[in-house]
Amino acid sequence: MSRPLRIGLTGGIASGKTAVSDRFAELGATVIDTDVIARQVVASGQPALAEIRAAFGDDVFNDDGALDRGAMRQLVFADDASRKQLEAILHPKIQAETLRQARAAVGPYTIVVVPLLAGSPLREHVDRVLVVDCDEETQIRRLLARDDGSEEQARRILAAQASRDERLAIADDVIENNASLAALDEQVSAFHDRYLALANLPVSQR
Ligand code: ATP
């Protein structure tokens, strides 16, 4: 059998990627989430930690040796060079682990959740790009309802990400998430059927 169809799922912060990938998982898809992998690569004992300590010192570690994620986040939020340095350590590891899991995946299709897929080398490794799209006001409303923080902060986070247009420019498929969760479910079910059909085709015709 040919390898599973690979769908790269992306979208802005709080656009509904997790809501969508959870629904795909319920329908039986294999879901690989790069946010989950990003946390795994900085878990205790992982080689990334020694590199982070060498680059940023003890200040970004707790007394028990675990990464102080809050301190790390503050540092990279305030300083672009630090952010790039951290990304240079983490991104190759996240990408390698994501690909390892994608290659090991079984079943008709795999959903690979990559928040910043537009600028990621992982884009070369997926067959299709599925964008969860919602308007910015909805995104901000959901972000504020879910996380602490001010509206100003929320707008700053949005501004730092790829724009809605930049995401849509790489989309093969779009799920529109401005309405209810029921409306979201319906769209996910329709794409599930579509991906099952595509997965049945020879790789060259996908
Ligand atoms: P992040 O980028 O932070 O990982 P995400 O893109 O995975 O976020 P979700 O966590 O799925 O987004 O959704 C953001 C919030 O909005 C969640 O609290 C979720 O329950 C809610 N939400 C998503 N879609 C809808 C919807 N259609 N109706 C109501 N609430 C929704």
Side-chain angles (χ1 to χ4, degrees):
M1 212 183 102
S2 62
R3 71 161 174 78
L5 181 72
R6 271 187 215 147
I7 310 296
L9 173 63
T10 192
I13 186 163
S15 58
K17 297 179 296 295
T18 305
V20 167
S21 61
D22 283 353
R23 182 71 185 124
F24 273 117
E26 278 168 31
L27 293 170
T30 302
V31 173
I32 299 169
D33 188 334
T34 53
D35 274 347
V36 174
I37 293 173
R39 287 195 290 274
Q40 288 167 350
V41 302
V42 294
S44 296
Q46 291 297 310
L49 292 187
E51 291 179 51
I52 291 173
R53 197 184 286 274
F56 299 102
D58 293 337
D59 289 351
V60 295
F61 286 86
N62 295 320
D63 291 343
D64 64 0
L67 184 66
D68 181 343
R69 291 164 55 88
M72 193 71 245
R73 203 175 312 120
Q74 265 183 342
L75 186 68
V76 299
F77 199 65
D79 177 30
D80 225 35
S82 296
R83 181 179 56 80
K84 291 204 174 98
Q85 205 178 356
L86 181 67
E87 286 176 356
I89 296 170
L90 296 183
H91 283 185
K93 294 178 171 50
I94 296 168
Q95 286 155 16
E97 176 59 15
T98 303
L99 282 179
R100 190 194 66 73
Q101 291 188 15
R103 291 190 176 115
V106 292
Y109 72 95
T110 305
I111 300 285
V112 189
V113 188
V114 191
L116 305 178
L117 185 59
S120 167
L122 288 172
R123 197 178 150 197
E124 306 300 316
H125 297 275
V126 298
D127 300 304
R128 296 182 80 77
V129 174
L130 170 60
V131 171
V132 188
D133 182 51
C134 75
D135 60 57
E136 290 193 354
E137 295 311 311
T138 306
Q139 213 179 336
I140 285 171
R141 188 164 36 77
R142 289 184 184 146
L143 183 57
L144 291 176
R146 190 192 59 188
D147 301 343
D148 293 335
S150 66
E151 179 173 340
E152 191 210 331
Q153 262 176 331
R155 290 195 188 277
R156 238 184 305 142
I157 295 172
L158 258 67
Q161 294 195 326
S163 71
R164 198 173 168 191
D165 287 346
E166 281 167 331
R167 277 189 297 272
L168 289 173
I170 64 161
D172 297 293
D173 303 319
V174 178
I175 285 183
E176 185 263 310
N177 188 25
N178 292 306
S180 65
L181 286 169
L184 189 66
D185 272 9
E186 240 174 72
Q187 296 175 76
V188 174
S189 294
F191 276 115
H192 171 71
D193 292 342
R194 172 111 196 272
Y195 295 151
L196 287 182
L198 283 173
N200 270 328
L201 296 175
V203 172
S204 64
Q205 290 173 34
R206 285 171 173 174

